[in-house]
């Protein structure tokens, strides 16, 4: 072996060692690529050696050439292995790349909608008085929505309940009261139920109306229920829900399915009765329609009106939530705007 050949072989050994080390230490695909260019690239160190082979004696060229090819294979295999390793690291997630100084994302905490909360609280209060909670269909027959409740379609009471007819005799219910008839048909007295749910009317969406809105119905039927039990149950609810100081009053009203009927007002919880914009300067806020169940309804569902009496009431939990939180526009309750709703959670 000539001196030139020997020094080329030494150079190749050093090149192999350094090349393998550079590949092993490459921490990401860019570093690995630059190691490849340094050692195996067209103008890299191995190409330099290849070019100088031409200058050594012909008898040592084959040996030096074989050695150079062996180094090339070793480096190429090492490159491939390292590339696979780095790719697997990327797929597994860049553990070392977590930036612990980055501000954390806020944890999303859901909340109960203010209307749902009103419904839940009212149902809880009535649950202490023996009422269970049931729900019913939003698509309702004319029979349950009007006829069984003693509302003839040509009666003025039906005018306020213009609704969406889906088919002959099928409507989107205009109130939750049809569940009174459904419950009484399904169960014998004593009956005490609360019925939350959506009701629909041909109303435009404005600050105090929505074409689809929540209602909460109550019904109690048994032997011997009188007006005093009715009134004291409602007063109990008012004190529990609005506060001990809140006063309530019954005003005569008319509903075809109750006789006598009353609208229930509570002293304004915002101004305590002195008069403000929430109570339209009257000092009172109407919270429900109610009354003693009309015997005609008992007859429609097959209850004996001589034996049973009861009371019923219906309220708008949306309006109650508006009063409770001082919400000026009903549409806010139905827009699903998280920025607005978050303040109640
Ligand atoms: N259903 C009536 C409405 O939507 C509200 C109502 C009034 C319900 C009196 C009742 C009741 O149960 O007794 O306007």
């Amino acid at each position: 072996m000539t001196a030139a050949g020997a020094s080329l072989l030494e150079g190749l050994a050093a090149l192999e060692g350094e090349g393998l080390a550079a590949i092993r230490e490459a921490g990401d695909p860019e570093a690995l690529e630059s190691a490849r260019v340094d050692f195996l690239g067209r103008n890299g160190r191995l190409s330099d050696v290849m070019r100088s082979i031409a200058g050594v004696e012909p008898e040592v060229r084959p040996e030096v050439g074989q050695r150079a090819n062996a180094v090339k294979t070793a480096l190429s295999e090492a490159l491939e292995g390292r590339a696979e390793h780095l790719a697997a690291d990327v797929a597994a997630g860049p553990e070392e790349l977590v930036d612990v100084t980055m501000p954390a994302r806020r944890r999303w905490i859901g909340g109960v909608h203010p209307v749902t909360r009103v419904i839940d609280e009212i149902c809880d209060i009535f649950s202490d008085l023996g009422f269970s909670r049931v729900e019913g269909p939003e698509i309702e027959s004319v029979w349950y929505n009007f006829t069984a409740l003693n509302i003839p379609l040509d009666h003025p009471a039906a005018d306020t309940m213009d609704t969406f007819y889906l088919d002959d005799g099928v409507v989107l219910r205009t109130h939750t009261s049809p569940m009174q008839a459904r419950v009484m048909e399904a169960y014998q007295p004593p009956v005490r139920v609360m019925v939350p749910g959506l009701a629909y009317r041909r109303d435009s969406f404005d600050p105090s109306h929505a074409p689809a809105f929540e209602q909460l119905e109550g019904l109690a039927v048994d032997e011997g229920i009188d007006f005093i039990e009715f009134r004291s149950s409602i007063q109990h609810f008012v004190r529990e829900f609005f506060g001990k100081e809140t006063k309530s009053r019954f005003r005569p009203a008319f509903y075809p399915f109750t006789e006598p009927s009353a609208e229930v007002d509570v002293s304004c919880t915002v101004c305590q009765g002195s008069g403000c914009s929430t109570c339209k300067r009257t000092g009172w806020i109407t919270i429900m329609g109610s009354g003693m169940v009309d015997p005609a309804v008992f007859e429609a569902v097959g209850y004996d009106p001589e034996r049973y009496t009861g009371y019923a009431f219906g309220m708008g939990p949306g309006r109650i939530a508006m009063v409770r939180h001082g919400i000026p526009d009903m549409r806010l309750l139905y827009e699903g705007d998280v920025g607005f709703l978050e303040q109640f959670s």
Side-chain angles (χ1 to χ4, degrees):
M1 173 73 58
T2 62
S7 98
L8 267 185
L9 286 178
E10 252 168 55
L12 275 171
L15 189 157
E16 181 176 28
E18 287 165 31
L20 290 174
I23 290 166
R24 210 179 320 117
E25 279 155 24
D28 55 50
E30 291 80 55
L32 190 60
E33 173 61 8
S34 94
R36 189 192 66 76
V37 172
D38 284 350
F39 290 89
L40 298 177
R42 186 183 305 219
N43 298 312
R45 290 174 56 184
L46 193 63
S47 300
D48 289 348
V49 175
M50 295 292 211
R51 272 190 290 273
S52 42
I53 292 179
V56 300
E57 300 75 5
E59 46 301 359
V60 296
R61 273 185 215 159
E63 193 188 343
V64 178
Q66 266 172 18
R67 184 75 186 103
N69 277 332
V71 169
K72 184 176 181 184
T73 308
L75 291 182
S76 301
E77 281 173 2
L79 267 172
E80 217 173 286
R82 185 69 189 152
E84 272 171 28
H85 183 81
L86 289 176
D89 265 6
V90 169
E95 217 173 320
E96 312 92 294
L97 297 184
V98 171
D99 177 359
V100 292
T101 65
M102 199 165 99
R105 218 171 280 165
R106 207 147 62 90
R107 176 89 78 81
W108 182 262
I109 301 172
V112 177
H113 192 283
V115 177
T116 308
R117 177 162 309 165
V118 165
I119 290 172
D120 289 349
E121 284 180 25
I122 296 177
C123 286
D124 280 353
I125 292 168
F126 277 98
S127 146
D128 292 342
L129 300 178
F131 287 69
S132 36
R133 179 172 172 160
V134 296
E135 285 179 21
E138 290 169 25
I139 295 174
E140 191 51 286
S141 67
V142 166
W143 161 260
Y144 284 113
N145 196 80
F146 297 113
T147 321
L149 295 172
N150 199 33
I151 312 175
L153 283 182
D154 55 4
H155 190 280
D159 290 354
T160 62
M161 299 196 183
D162 199 3
T163 185
F164 305 94
Y165 278 76
L166 301 178
D167 210 342
D168 211 17
V170 180
V171 297
L172 290 182
R173 67 179 177 191
T174 58
H175 48 178
T176 43
S177 304
M179 274 302 283
Q180 291 187 25
R182 284 185 177 273
V183 167
M184 287 191 279
E185 276 184 354
Y187 302 96
Q188 287 303 304
V191 156
R192 280 184 171 76
V193 286
M194 295 300 290
V195 191
L198 281 176
Y200 300 83
R201 291 192 196 173
R202 219 183 125 273
D203 282 338
S204 55
F205 230 149
D206 68 29
S208 51
H209 294 90
F213 55 98
E214 292 285 344
Q215 274 204 339
L216 182 51
E217 189 84 14
L219 172 72
V221 183
D222 201 350
E223 279 180 65
I225 291 184
D226 56 14
F227 199 90
I228 293 175
E229 178 175 340
F230 162 42
R231 193 169 168 166
S232 55
S233 303
I234 300 297
Q235 279 171 339
H236 168 76
F237 151 67
V238 167
R239 279 195 299 268
E240 288 290 309
F241 186 82
F242 292 99
K244 297 258 173 299
E245 344 59 53
T246 307
K247 291 190 278 293
S248 58
R249 71 177 186 190
F250 280 47
R251 267 187 302 107
F254 172 79
Y255 298 101
F257 36 94
T258 45
E259 180 61 31
S261 305
E263 276 186 329
V264 178
D265 298 342
V266 296
S267 52
C268 181
T269 49
V270 176
C271 64
Q272 266 61 255
S274 59
C276 69
S277 61
T278 301
C279 59
K280 302 200 184 81
R281 325 248 155 241
T282 62
W284 294 95
I285 294 169
T286 303
I287 55 158
M288 64 168 78
S290 64
M292 300 299 290
V293 179
D294 195 298
V297 177
F298 287 147
E299 263 159 31
V301 299
Y303 274 12
D304 179 358
E306 297 298 326
R307 184 166 167 204
Y308 297 114
T309 50
Y311 60 91
F313 50 94
M315 47 191 144
R319 268 180 225 284
I320 293 175
M322 287 170 72
V323 170
R324 172 185 250 190
H325 299 293
I327 298 169
D329 190 325
M330 179 173 276
R331 291 171 290 194
L332 288 164
L333 292 176
Y334 298 105
E335 276 170 355
D337 177 349
V338 175
F340 167 74
L341 292 173
E342 252 178 350
Q343 57 188 313
F344 306 108
S345 66

